[in-house]
Amino acid sequence: MRGQEQAATPADAPQRRTDVRLGLPALLVWGAAVAGVWLSPVLLAVLCGLLLVSAVFLLGRAARASSLLARRRSFLTTTAVALMLAAAAAAHSAVASSQSHDGPLAEGAAAGKSVVAVLEITGSPRALTLPGQAGMPERWSAAARTVEVTVSGNVIRTRAELVVMGGRGWDNVLPGQTVRTAGKLKPPDAGQQEAAILSASTAPGADAGADAAPAGQAMARELRGRYVAAASFLASDPRGLLPGMVTGDTSALDEGLHAAMKTVGLTHLTAVSGANCSLVLGALLVAARSLRLPRLPAAGLALTGLGMFVVLVGADASVLRAALMGSTAIASLAGGRAGRGLSFLCLAVMGLLLIDPGLATSFGFLLSVLATLGIIVLGPRMMEWTPALVPRWAAAAWAVPLSAQLLCGPVIVLLQPQFSTYSLLANIVAAPLVAPVTLLGTAAVPLVSWVPWLATALIAVAGTFSAGVAGTARTAAGLPGAALPWPEGPFGSLTMVLLSLLTLGGVWAAASPRRLVRRVFALHARTVSLLDLLDRNLQALPKRHGRGGAVRGLERGVRHGRLRYCTKTSGRNPPWLLPKPPEPGRRRRMLPPGGT
């Protein structure tokens, strides 16, 4: 019980502080990557130069710092390294953005010319669905890199990033595959790193089909297809949801279920996310350690399994972030050091942005980072606020989803201007069902080809839990007021920030009423002390500035418990500023005309 554990802990035990030293480098790298997407190559070159000069200057200051100023020297060195990393991210962005500004495809994209292109697919295809569209999608998009482009009879051999949008046939392309197609170039949207958008008018060339794709990608697609076929005996909702939660294949997901999960804030469960990746990594590590493997072999086995899982589900932003952060944590554990979640998150963010600066403007990547940040920073504190009688698992059941929603809410309303009333309740109910779906469903993937009957049994059990997730989404979406309208744009985001702060304060007040009462009394005592200090200062004014009539009037007002002031503007002195009558037995002192 948490109560016994807390009772055994000394009250004055020092609490572990959050290590925020890598926060500044992560923010600088992210800012430089965002600037690289929006600025021109010339401005980016100037920015890189300024960052490098600032880094050299800070390193020189750190070298001249005295040994007594160890903290200052450490801060200067950390900031200099952060500036160097930011310069690297800006330089990478400059190279990528030069294709869209001055590259050989920039003129063709601006003129909307037709081209014949040989492309290398670099990302998994995604369905392009319109609001209210039912059935299978008709258009798909995929990230690609040019190998050869023919524009107006001129052959251009360059490596530029493109987004291909096409119809039938583009849903079957695989990362690493080389295809030939024809279409029309379009300029990219503002803030996009791609050199152009290719609207394909033909299907990918048959001469470079699935056989040209890497063996791992082809095997992953075959496993995903077999898994969807193996889950076809389930009911409608788990038949489409289970493959999405396990392998990332949402082709069989019902449109009504997808809309319900979007309404109640369960969209992150419709496909594989960072949470699933972390569950798989943790399960592999526990299994390896249960076999009494040494630390290094256990870490290697876990990382190998994680890499295979990423290849299976596709390298989405959230999966890449979770995979890289988990790899850093595994490496730290293998070296015998205890992990720090925020440090691992910052390392993952910097690594991914240095590899692909385009992630800096991805809402999916931003939401993934914010959700993890909330779980790392706010989650443990919310669990500490929970009364000691509540078990730890119950405290985590509400603290984890709420901490993630508090940070993700201001960004979500920019994409979907509505307030999901039952989002927290739906996430709390669905949270215990995610782990069985992920672990049992993932265990069934390799068994689909080797031991089909065992895979069917595991899929049946995992499908039962996924049916619970689907039922939770449909029930919550059917309640009155499930989706309330919210202001759009920056104003809506700011109001959601205010609501998140109020919610955090309300949760703290509800979970710690005694602390709230103590804080109120402490605030009251401090207010009273400030008033007493003000009263003493007012009483000391006559002693500092003499005993003039105005000061005596001020002193007299203080003695009566209030300050009186004159509102007359006729030029005559008010009665309380007139000279006092002489006391009996005392000689009257003559004052000059107009004196006080």
Side-chain angles (χ1 to χ4, degrees), residues 300-367:
L301 179 62
L303 292 178
T304 302
L306 177 63
M308 296 174 62
F309 181 75
V310 170
V311 172
L312 172 66
V313 303
D316 290 336
S318 59
V319 178
L320 284 174
R321 187 266 315 159
L324 187 55
M325 189 173 69
S327 302
T328 308
I330 292 296
S332 177
L333 291 175
R337 294 178 58 87
R340 295 180 176 89
L342 184 58
S343 299
F344 296 151
L345 177 62
C346 293
L347 288 174
V349 168
M350 288 188 291
L352 289 175
L353 291 177
L354 289 173
I355 295 172
D356 185 7
L359 291 176
T361 56
S362 170
F363 277 102
F365 180 71
L366 176 60
L367 289 173

Side-chain angles (χ1 to χ4, degrees), residues 457-471:
L458 293 177
I459 289 175
V461 178
T464 304
F465 288 100
S466 64
V469 176

Side-chain angles (χ1 to χ4, degrees), residues 556-568:
R556 186 178 303 146
V558 173
R559 290 176 181 175
H560 284 81
R562 60 193 179 97
L563 294 176
R564 289 181 288 179
Y565 55 92
C566 178
T567 59
K568 296 181 179 181

Side-chain angles (χ1 to χ4, degrees), residues 587-593:
R587 188 176 179 180
R588 181 186 178 99
R589 182 168 59 95
M590 299 302 293
L591 296 175

Side-chain angles (χ1 to χ4, degrees), residues 32 34-50 87 89-104 106 192-193 195:
V34 172
V37 176
W38 288 94
L39 300 180
S40 63
V42 176
L43 294 178
L44 283 176
V46 174
L47 177 62
C48 291
L50 292 176
H92 191 177
S93 297
V95 173
S97 64
S98 62
Q99 294 288 346
S100 58
H101 288 86
D102 306 320
Q192 299 298 321
Q193 196 179 24

